[in-house]
Amino acid sequence: MHRLPFLFAGLLLASCQMGGSGGQQSRYLAAYGPRNSQRASTDPGAAVPDDTSYWAGDGKTGPPSIRINLRQQKAYFYKGAELVGVSRISTGKEGHDTPPGTYKITEKDRDHRSSVYGIFEEIGTGRVVNDDADMSKDKVPPGCKYVGAPMWNFMRFTGGIGMHTGYLPGYNASHGCVRMPDKMAKVYFDNVTLGTPVIVE
């Protein structure tokens, strides 16, 4: 009984990434249904209430641009010089930092999945045998297949890094991408075009 508080604390610390639980769905994949091919229609949720994000850009004109503030963990959307939206975000954790710089949107993919991070599941049963699979170093076990982590509303701006729908634990937790609440990722996705400037600072 005395071990329970320590076990619970350990689970909380591991919740920002896939923890290799050997079958339990991680927070990284929370509410997406990693074994389902369809898009999630609901917000995956967050560890803390979102009283920051908003959108007021409908009907506004001007070229879109986005400023991502790593310290504030917010993404600011502009049309011309006017701020029309703000989103809470979760950027890269230590060792997987989101790189500061000036970029442009180079790809939009509504139903994107990661080609590097995801899960290994048994073919036929769907049982998750590794919920922290990293294809850059892990091999798919016999009888299993790789399922990429869902990154809906993906907006690539440098290398393999982009903005997308994802779980927000309230601090930097990603592998470098910029996670956003689903409703904000959707509206940002709908309002950017290829070539939209993205400044990470």
Side-chain angles (χ1 to χ4, degrees):
M1 289 182 63
H2 295 295
R3 291 184 177 181
L4 287 178
F6 297 104
L7 177 61
F8 182 68
L11 289 172
L12 284 177
L13 289 172
S15 68
C16 66
Q17 59 184 328
M18 294 182 285
S21 59
Q24 294 184 358
Q25 185 174 331
S26 70
R27 282 294 194 182
Y28 192 81
L29 299 173
Y32 285 108
R35 291 177 295 280
N36 296 330
S37 60
Q38 71 269 25
R39 290 190 65 254
S41 60
T42 59
D43 192 320
V48 295
D50 184 0
D51 57 358
T52 300
S53 301
Y54 74 89
W55 178 255
D58 294 344
K60 305 286 185 174
T61 59
S65 63
I66 297 172
R67 282 187 170 271
I68 296 169
N69 190 300
L70 299 174
R71 182 179 58 80
Q72 296 176 359
Q73 290 292 281
K74 294 178 183 176
Y76 298 89
F77 198 108
Y78 294 84
K79 288 192 175 180
E82 184 177 0
L83 177 65
V84 298
V86 176
S87 177
R88 286 184 60 234
I89 58 175
S90 178
T91 56
K93 60 189 175 183
E94 187 175 353
H96 294 277
D97 303 280
T98 304
T102 300
Y103 310 102
K104 293 182 178 179
I105 299 293
T106 58
E107 178 190 2
K108 293 176 63 179
D109 183 358
R110 183 76 76 180
D111 300 308
H112 190 75
R113 283 184 179 268
S114 176
S115 60
V116 180
Y117 304 108
I119 63 174
F120 293 149
E121 69 176 28
E122 284 184 339
I123 297 172
T125 68
R127 183 176 71 88
V128 178
V129 298
N130 182 349
D131 71 353
D132 193 14
D134 180 345
M135 291 298 285
S136 68
K137 60 184 180 182
D138 299 330
K139 292 184 179 180
V140 181
C144 295
K145 66 178 180 179
Y146 168 76
V147 179
M151 304 164 77
W152 311 145
N153 307 296
F154 185 69
M155 298 163 273
R156 187 188 308 273
F157 59 82
T158 181
I161 295 175
M163 297 169 280
H164 62 82
T165 295
Y167 179 73
L168 283 79
Y171 47 85
N172 304 40
S174 80
H175 288 102
C177 281
V178 179
R179 300 182 193 170
M180 308 174 72
D182 189 54
K183 64 180 182 180
M184 298 309 298
K186 286 176 179 175
V187 75
Y188 276 40
F189 184 96
D190 289 340
N191 282 272
V192 299
T193 58
L194 297 183
T196 293
V198 177
I199 299 173
V200 181
E201 54 191 9

